Amino acid sequence: MRVTKIIREYIESEVNKKYKEKLNSIPNEYKEDYNKMIKEIEKEVENCSIKVKEIAKKYDMLKEGANDIVSYSTYYLGNYDRWNDRQNLERKLKQERDGKVAEIVLSLELGDTNKKELTEILKNVKF
């Protein structure tokens, strides 16, 4: 069977669904911890901003409409090793995904698989 662009896109789409299911089933502890940290920081920044406004009012130096007086940057926050572990896992799964797509396409190109078998193969793709 000649693999057209449409067939290849269909195969990629079906394999990607399984890939995303697998990826989403693996907890991303780094992202969860990072998001918790950001929430805590935002709470502290808000508290700090309230205090700064009080000080500015005390000296009559607060402009009308001033909302975000204190800001912060997340540039230096994070843990590269933990982040990198997750990236390596995602990279490994992407390589598996690409390999499975190539294997299915090759099987079709060589005539080892027909349409009915293709549907069954795609249904049984596992990571």
Side-chain angles (χ1 to χ4, degrees):
M1 169 188 251
R2 185 171 179 277
V3 179
T4 63
K5 182 179 179 185
I6 292 172
I7 294 171
R8 182 176 184 80
E9 287 173 352
Y10 172 71
I11 292 168
E12 288 174 350
S13 168
E14 292 300 308
V15 173
N16 272 337
K17 286 178 191 173
K18 301 279 184 162
Y19 160 76
K20 287 180 183 175
E21 285 174 14
K22 175 64 176 180
L23 193 60
N24 290 338
S25 73
I26 301 169
N28 189 344
E29 293 174 2
Y30 175 77
K31 187 175 184 179
E32 291 169 6
D33 287 349
Y34 186 87
N35 289 340
K36 286 178 189 174
M37 175 194 67
I38 293 298
K39 282 183 182 176
E40 283 185 44
I41 289 172
E42 287 174 347
K43 219 180 256 184
E44 289 301 318
V45 167
E46 188 178 321
N47 291 339
C48 185
S49 187
I50 291 169
K51 196 75 167 153
V52 168
K53 283 180 185 179
E54 289 172 4
I55 294 169
K57 281 181 185 176
K58 177 176 148 185
Y59 293 98
D60 193 27
M61 297 286 180
L62 184 64
K63 294 181 181 178
E64 268 189 56
N67 292 323
D68 298 329
I69 295 177
V70 177
S71 63
Y72 67 99
S73 170
T74 60
Y75 185 78
Y76 292 104
L77 301 176
N79 181 320
Y80 179 77
D81 292 334
R82 288 181 63 198
W83 174 84
N84 198 38
D85 290 344
R86 180 65 183 197
Q87 294 305 308
N88 287 335
L89 172 68
E90 289 181 20
R91 226 175 274 119
K92 180 182 169 218
L93 285 174
K94 284 178 185 176
Q95 287 173 344
E96 268 187 65
R97 176 199 63 194
D98 294 345
K100 290 182 188 300
V101 168
E103 183 181 315
I104 294 168
V105 168
L106 181 62
S107 175
L108 284 171
E109 287 282 350
L110 295 176
D112 295 340
T113 306
N114 59 34
K115 185 177 179 181
K116 185 178 179 186
E117 290 170 333
L118 172 62
T119 305
E120 192 63 28
I121 289 171
L122 291 173
K123 190 186 324 178
N124 294 322
V125 169
K126 290 189 178 25
F127 285 90

